[in-house]
């Protein structure tokens, strides 16, 4: 069994991604949230390096998945480079054994990759006008489109929602997730 650490901006994010990718890899991979008490912008602090180094070793992880939101579109090159630099810098404490899942805008953009499941759960017929990676502020869009329905979207819904999403559809429709899966597979096969 391959042991993979998960580092994210929020426990909801790590739980959501774990729930999604376990669908495909649960027979071969065991996931371990790391640095659970380091959230949001604190991931940019020096403190995380010591925490991550210790927990990576304690959990005997083979590699780490770093989950970050770009909070921008991919065309914003300066922000993109900033997150890539963050990943490369932090990944040094795990001997460069990491994979970056950089969500274009936010984690919630991945939900638009399987909008049919979302629509089914929230009893909607929403059709996005653009690809998931071009939706600015997807969390707010999801809240807006559910504002008039009986069930309203909240980011705390994500872990359960991601258990129901179709990983194949998300990989097919979300470029950032497809890139992540390719890199994840390479790391698994090393």
């Amino acid at each position: 069994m391959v042991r993979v650490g998960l580092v994210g901006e929020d426990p909801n994010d790590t739980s959501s991604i774990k729930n999604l990718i376990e669908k495909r890899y649960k027979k071969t991979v065991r996931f371990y949230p790391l640095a659970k008490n380091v959230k949001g912008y604190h991931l940019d602090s020096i403190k995380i390096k010591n925490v991550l180094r210790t927990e990576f070793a304690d959990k005997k992880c083979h590699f780490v998945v770093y989950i970050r939101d770009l909070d921008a579109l991919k065309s914003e090159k300066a922000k993109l480079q900033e997150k890539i630099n963050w990943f490369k810098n932090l990944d040094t404490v795990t001997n460069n054994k990491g994979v970056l899942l950089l969500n274009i805008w936010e984690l919630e953009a991945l939900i638009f990759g399987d909008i049919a499941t979302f629509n089914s759960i929230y009893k909607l017929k929403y059709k996005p006008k653009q690809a998931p990676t071009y939706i600015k502020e997807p969390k707010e869009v999801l809240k807006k489109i559910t504002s008039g329905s009986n069930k309203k979207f909240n980011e705390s819904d994500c872990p359960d929602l991601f258990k129901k999403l179709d990983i194949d559809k998300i990989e097919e429709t979300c470029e950032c997730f497809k890139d992540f899966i390719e890199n994840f597979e390479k790391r698994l096969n090393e």
Side-chain angles (χ1 to χ4, degrees), residues 5-185:
L6 296 171
V7 173
E9 295 180 12
D10 184 89
N12 272 338
D13 292 1
T14 52
S15 294
S16 298
I17 293 302
K18 177 181 180 278
N19 291 343
L20 181 63
I21 59 181
E22 264 186 341
K23 292 174 160 205
R24 186 178 289 170
Y25 300 102
K26 73 177 172 183
K27 292 181 180 175
T28 57
V29 178
R30 181 155 297 139
F31 295 97
Y32 299 90
L34 305 176
K36 292 181 275 193
N37 295 326
V38 183
K39 300 176 186 160
Y41 69 90
H42 293 291
L43 286 175
D44 298 322
S45 75
I46 193 81
K47 172 185 169 184
I48 190 170
K49 284 190 169 187
N50 293 330
V51 172
L52 181 58
R53 183 181 292 113
T54 302
E55 291 185 15
F56 180 78
D58 288 349
K59 300 284 187 198
K60 297 176 176 52
C61 293
H62 294 92
F63 65 94
V64 176
V65 170
Y66 300 91
I67 306 158
R68 287 299 300 260
D69 293 344
L70 183 57
D71 296 323
L73 298 175
K74 198 172 180 179
S75 59
E76 297 179 54
K77 300 295 183 196
K79 287 186 177 185
L80 181 63
Q81 193 58 53
E82 180 183 315
K83 295 295 187 198
I84 291 170
N85 291 343
W86 167 86
F87 161 68
K88 288 179 179 179
N89 181 36
L90 186 56
D91 198 36
T92 60
V93 299
T94 62
N95 300 315
N96 299 309
K97 293 187 175 189
V99 178
L100 176 62
L101 170 54
L102 185 58
N103 298 301
I104 304 304
W105 206 278
E106 297 167 322
L107 173 81
E108 288 79 6
L110 298 178
I111 295 168
F112 289 94
D114 182 13
I115 198 66
T117 296
F118 180 82
N119 282 339
S120 172
I121 293 167
Y122 290 86
K123 305 202 181 336
L124 299 170
K125 293 180 181 176
Y126 182 77
K127 291 184 181 177
K129 295 174 178 65
Q130 60 216 97
T133 55
Y134 293 102
I135 297 172
K136 188 175 180 181
E137 300 182 358
K139 187 183 319 176
E140 286 71 21
V141 173
L142 293 169
K143 287 178 179 182
K144 182 179 178 185
I145 63 176
T146 61
S147 65
S149 63
N150 290 336
K151 182 174 171 98
K152 299 185 183 4
F153 173 78
N154 188 298
E155 49 263 51
S156 63
D157 298 346
C158 285
D160 287 332
L161 180 57
F162 274 61
K163 283 181 185 176
K164 297 170 182 148
L165 295 175
D166 184 329
I167 189 172
D168 296 323
K169 285 182 183 175
I170 293 172
E171 183 178 4
E172 183 181 305
T173 56
C174 299
E175 183 183 334
C176 64
F177 191 73
K178 181 181 179 182
D179 292 345
F180 161 72
I181 290 293
E182 287 174 8
N183 291 325
F184 185 83
E185 291 275 348

